[in-house]
């Protein structure tokens, strides 16, 4: 089982200088590779493999006078840049992922380089090729074999290392028999970050919205400064700092929430949303970016896997909001502004989001059974043999 952990680094001034040059070399390889591939693709309709064709160009470039400085960097990190570019193209050509065309990496903002040979970690240091030992705050015991270290520098100039290691313990067998009362349906919405099938609502922590005023003010200040001036550099750091604080707080919150959800349940059912479609609506998009459901689902997914528990992602076409969970009556429409409603067929009164979460749970149970799991009934779902007509 692969596990990842992120630690803070405290490089010396000299090491910072080296890392900056290394990030620059990695970025250069990525951007140059992208330029070559785009040119070939647009001019000649040829596609080449970044992984194979570009990697071969690296030693040639290193021998040249112009690009000889690339020798200074960890060669594996440069090769990894080519592999990353390859993945970016694969995502672009994969119709399912709908990823955009790969973009050039900017020298502003986050920088990274990945190292997988000659890496080590100690009690308060890490080692990467050509830099030597970098002081680090290792906050948890590292068990297992270290497979790679990804170094990053944030927009505010902080350094981190993401350690990937093989925990040398097998992934636990996924649970085969689920108790119905240990299954949680989650509806992720705009009014709340999540509402579950037990009727609990987790308020949407609108960190971004709160910090937005502050951010906007700093962004305006940035736009007023002159290009290339010292004031501009300072203003940019302030903007990056505000962004970073928001991201950290949100991450922290999501880790705690997902940990609790996975610990308390055997299976979690979520709906994958039409986020891409909703993003077209800019007003909604701000809230969505804020709530960042996707990031939460990702955290739920790997925590569930590590615990041998189930995460079921339902297709977004499932009409969880429109269906009455008590009698399966399906409404024709359910506009976003309706927060509660009464079923015209069985007269049950519904909270919009709780009803949706219960439906999500029911649909998840159907899917778990279809995958061959047994779902024990106590505390369980009503009419488990029946399924609502999905359309
Ligand atoms: Zn009903």
């Amino acid at each position: 089982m692969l596990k990842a952990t992120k630690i803070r680094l405290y490089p010396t001034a000299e090491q910072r200088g080296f890392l900056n040059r290394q990030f620059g070399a990695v970025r250069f390889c990525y951007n140059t590779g992208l330029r070559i591939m785009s040119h070939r693709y647009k001019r000649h309709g040829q596609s080449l493999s970044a992984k194979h064709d570009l990697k071969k160009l690296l030693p040639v470039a290193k021998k040249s006078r112009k690009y000889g400085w690339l020798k200074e960097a960890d060669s594996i990190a440069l090769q990894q840049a080519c592999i990353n570019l390859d993945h970016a193209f694969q995502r672009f050509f994969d119709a399912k992922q709908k990823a955009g065309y790969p973009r050039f990496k900017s020298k502003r903002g986050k920088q990274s380089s990945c190292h997988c040979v000659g890496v080590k970690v100690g009690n308060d240091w890490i080692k990467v090729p050509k830099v030597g030992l970098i002081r680090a705050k290792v906050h948890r015991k590292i068990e297992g074999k270290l497979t790679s270290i990804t170094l990053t520098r944030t927009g505010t100039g902080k350094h981190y290392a993401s350690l990937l290691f093989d925990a040398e313990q097998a992934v636990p067998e996924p649970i085969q028999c689920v108790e119905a009362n240990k299954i949680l349906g989650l509806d992720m919405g705009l009014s709340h970050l999540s509402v579950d099938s037990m009727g609990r609502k987790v308020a949407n922590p609108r960190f971004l919205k709160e910090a937005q005023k502050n951010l906007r003010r700093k962004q305006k200040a940035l736009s007023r400064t002159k290009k290339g001036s010292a004031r501009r550099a300072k203003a940019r750091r302030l903007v990056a700092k505000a962004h970073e604080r928001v991201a950290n707080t949100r991450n922290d919150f999501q880790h705690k929430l997902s940990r609790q959800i996975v610990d308390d349940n055997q299976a979690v059912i979520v709906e994958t949303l039409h986020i891409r479609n909703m993003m077209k609506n800019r007003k909604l998009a701000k809230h969505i970016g804020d709530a960042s459901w996707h990031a939460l689902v990702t955290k739920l997914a790997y925590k569930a896997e590590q615990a041998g528990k189930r995460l079921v992602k339902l297709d977004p076409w499932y009409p969880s909001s429109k269906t009455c969970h008590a009698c399966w009556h399906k409404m024709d429409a359910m506009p976003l502004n309706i927060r509660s409603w009464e079923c015209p067929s069985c007269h049950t009164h519904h909270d919009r989001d709780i009803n949706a979460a219960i439906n999500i749970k029911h649909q998840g149970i159907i899917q778990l059974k279809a995958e061959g799991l047994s779902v024990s009934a106590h505390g369980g779902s009503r009419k488990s043999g029946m399924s609502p007509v999905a359309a």
Side-chain angles (χ1 to χ4, degrees):
M1 179 161 54
L2 289 175
K3 281 191 168 181
T5 187
K6 193 174 167 187
I7 57 174
R8 177 87 189 265
L9 300 180
Y10 301 92
T12 62
E14 196 188 333
Q15 287 173 332
R16 274 203 299 275
F18 178 84
L19 290 176
N20 286 346
R21 291 194 292 281
Q22 173 129 290
F23 291 138
V26 166
R27 197 176 61 236
F28 172 83
C29 287
Y30 189 94
N31 287 345
T32 308
L34 177 53
R35 204 167 288 127
I36 294 172
M37 289 183 61
S38 299
H39 180 79
R40 282 266 198 122
Y41 183 62
K42 282 171 192 160
R43 270 278 175 84
H44 311 292
Q46 284 173 309
S47 69
L48 64 174
S49 155
K51 215 160 153 179
H52 298 110
D53 302 328
L54 290 180
K55 258 163 91 172
K56 278 186 219 153
L57 291 177
L58 274 173
V60 182
K62 280 184 194 170
K63 276 181 200 141
S64 74
R65 221 176 184 182
K66 199 174 169 191
Y67 303 119
W69 52 274
L70 287 173
K71 270 186 285 197
E72 208 198 324
D74 176 16
S75 61
I76 302 287
L78 304 184
Q79 287 177 19
Q80 191 61 43
C82 297
I83 294 170
N84 290 346
L85 179 61
D86 211 53
H87 290 163
F89 269 102
Q90 276 170 23
R91 281 194 297 276
F92 170 66
F93 285 117
D94 182 358
K96 252 190 189 166
Q97 299 197 39
K98 289 179 186 161
Y101 194 79
R103 289 167 60 179
F104 289 106
K105 301 243 183 254
S106 163
K107 73 175 177 185
R108 301 211 176 91
K110 196 173 139 187
Q111 306 291 319
S112 68
S113 67
C114 182
H115 311 264
C116 54
V117 175
V119 290
K120 270 183 186 161
V121 59
N123 287 330
D124 57 355
W125 52 266
I126 62 156
K127 184 176 173 286
V128 283
K130 303 201 175 182
V131 196
L133 304 188
I134 304 177
R135 200 158 69 81
K137 193 177 173 191
V138 183
H139 49 76
R140 70 170 78 169
K141 212 176 151 208
I142 308 289
E143 285 166 27
K145 193 174 157 279
L146 184 68
T147 59
S148 77
I149 293 184
T150 301
L151 301 176
T152 51
R153 193 192 73 208
T154 67
T156 58
K158 287 182 192 141
H159 290 80
Y160 291 93
S162 294
L163 314 177
L164 192 67
F165 53 97
D166 196 339
E168 280 165 0
Q169 68 194 82
V171 180
E173 272 305 303
I175 198 162
Q176 293 300 322
C177 178
V178 192
E179 290 168 46
N181 57 357
K182 289 277 170 92
I183 299 175
L184 195 71
L186 276 186
D187 179 59
M188 301 191 191
L190 294 172
S191 60
H192 286 81
L193 174 60
S194 78
V195 175
D196 69 26
S197 49
M198 310 279 283
R200 289 173 300 209
K201 298 183 174 186
V202 177
N204 205 342
R206 304 193 174 194
F207 307 120
L208 265 182
K209 204 179 171 188
E210 282 165 27
Q212 205 174 1
K213 260 189 189 168
N214 178 32
L215 246 177
R216 200 187 297 136
R217 205 183 61 230
K218 283 177 178 157
Q219 236 141 16
K220 268 186 185 164
L222 172 64
S223 69
R224 277 197 300 267
T225 55
K226 224 187 246 168
K227 262 191 183 173
S229 68
R231 275 173 195 273
R232 191 179 183 84
K234 192 183 170 192
R236 191 179 293 117
R237 270 200 303 279
L238 287 177
V239 169
K241 210 169 177 178
H243 270 298
E244 233 172 79
R245 190 167 301 149
V246 170
N248 288 345
T249 323
R250 183 168 61 203
N251 245 332
D252 196 46
F253 176 81
Q254 288 188 344
H255 272 303
K256 283 176 187 149
L257 180 64
S258 55
R259 169 53 57 213
Q260 192 195 346
I261 290 172
V262 169
D263 282 353
D264 291 351
N265 297 282
Q266 294 175 337
V268 183
I269 325 293
V270 296
E271 212 174 8
T272 53
L273 299 127
H274 289 288
I275 290 180
R276 212 166 285 271
N277 283 337
M278 288 174 121
M279 281 296 190
K280 285 174 189 157
N281 180 335
R282 288 180 67 195
K283 210 172 170 186
L284 273 182
K286 192 169 283 302
H287 289 282
I288 293 168
D290 204 349
S292 55
W293 301 320
H294 180 76
L296 179 61
V297 172
T298 307
K299 290 183 183 73
L300 281 170
Y302 82 80
K303 287 194 171 86
E305 197 198 345
Q306 286 179 358
K309 294 179 177 181
R310 301 278 180 167
L311 179 81
V312 178
K313 295 181 193 171
L314 295 184
D315 274 331
W317 47 258
Y318 173 63
S320 57
S321 301
K322 291 182 198 167
T323 311
C324 165
H325 79 258
C327 75
W328 310 121
H329 176 80
K330 196 182 147 220
M331 305 289 282
D332 290 331
M334 187 58 64
L336 268 173
N337 58 345
I338 294 179
R339 304 316 307 166
S340 64
W341 55 287
E342 194 185 298
C343 172
S345 172
C346 71
H347 301 289
T348 310
H349 193 79
H350 293 301
D351 173 289
R352 177 203 176 90
D353 298 327
I354 297 174
N355 177 60
I358 294 171
N359 280 327
I360 288 168
K361 174 177 173 173
H362 287 170
Q363 195 61 22
I365 289 174
I366 291 165
Q367 199 158 317
L368 285 171
K369 283 182 175 170
E371 286 169 21
L373 271 78
S374 71
V375 177
S376 66
H378 51 84
S381 70
R382 51 208 294 159
K383 301 180 185 174
S384 54
M386 253 174 81
S387 88
V389 182

